Amino acid sequence: MDRLAIVVPCYNEEEMLHMSAEALTKVIDDLVMKEKVSSDSFVLFVNDGSKDRTWELIEEEHKSNPERIKGLKLAGNVGHQFALTAGLITAKDMSDVTVSIDADLQDDTAVIEEMIDKFHAGCDIVYGVRNKRDTDTFFKRTTALGFYKVMHMMGVKSVYNHADFRLMSKRAVEEFSKYNETNLFLRGIIPLIGYQTDCVYYDRKERVAGESKYPLKKMLALAFNGISSFSVKPISMITGLGGVIVFLSIIAAIYALISFCMGSVVPGWTSLILSIWFLGGVQLLCIGLIGQYIGKIYIEVKHRPRYNIEKVLDK
Ligand code: UDP
Ligand code: MG
């Protein structure tokens, strides 16, 4: 049977830790009883350099139930995306399948069973997708929607309304670990892995205790990171803008020449206005062109795997 690891990144989650440990242990016990996962399945709490007693609490939980609760202590705060990555990559060597979930129990632990069922049916990645966002503030809902729209426009593949609550098989995590980039945006990388994927739907609840560790500033940083790590479209836009301005300057040139011929202009105006427009356009075009090369270098230095072979038919 498959050994399940539930990976939970924690940053200053002392109010939540015991509750999370209890709830997730129950999920695993339940799955073990139903013979869906092996009896040595476990929860891996990743302490992301918390400033409060989170790590001490993880140690306590581990002591009281060493088989079910395991801990991973990062030496400092590296942020949710890296903490989760550290947890997944550590867990993959100890398990056959991982599920990542936030410590605040906002995601519905009940659908983990459904995820496991889909895994057994042959899926390597199962996304947890929120049905509705009633519990989020209006502001968070609209900004999130805008974010997905912009991402989509920029050509980044990502699953709508999916945060980092997902199941990944061992081989999916192994493939993911080949993505060495430092500008990490998991939601964009995971769809690049391939394999059979599916979604499970749930209603996102309110945070049980503690407060959000994702203030607006961090959200904006994540959003910008998501776009800039996956898309060089903004550079193409600059090139495009340069082209448009050069084109406009040609129209302006015609207009200025006509005005000049009709003699209704101040001396010097024509040449001045034309050089401003034309030079501005040419400069933007050139910056965009240089940007295109930088964009290529950027993609190149990521050293992303170029493909992922799933099967070979031989013999
Ligand atoms: N988290 C983390 N490191 C950080 C910030 C957050 O590991 O620097 C964890 C946090 O403990 C939680 C998860 O990431 O388990 C999601 O954070 P939160 O629930 O605060 O985000 P929100 O749901 O409000 O977007
Ligand atoms: Mg949360």
Side-chain angles (χ1 to χ4, degrees), residues 1-2 28 32 37-42 67-68:
M1 220 177 303
D2 296 307
I28 293 185
V32 169
V37 298
S38 74
S39 60
D40 55 356
S41 298
F42 61 95
E67 207 199 333
R68 278 278 177 275

Side-chain angles (χ1 to χ4, degrees), residues 9 11 13 48 80 102-104 106 140 204 207 212-213:
Y11 176 63
E13 297 283 6
D48 182 18
H80 173 236
D102 290 349
D104 55 9
Q106 279 188 287
K140 190 148 185 168
R204 190 161 155 103
R207 198 177 231 285
S212 173
K213 311 294 183 291

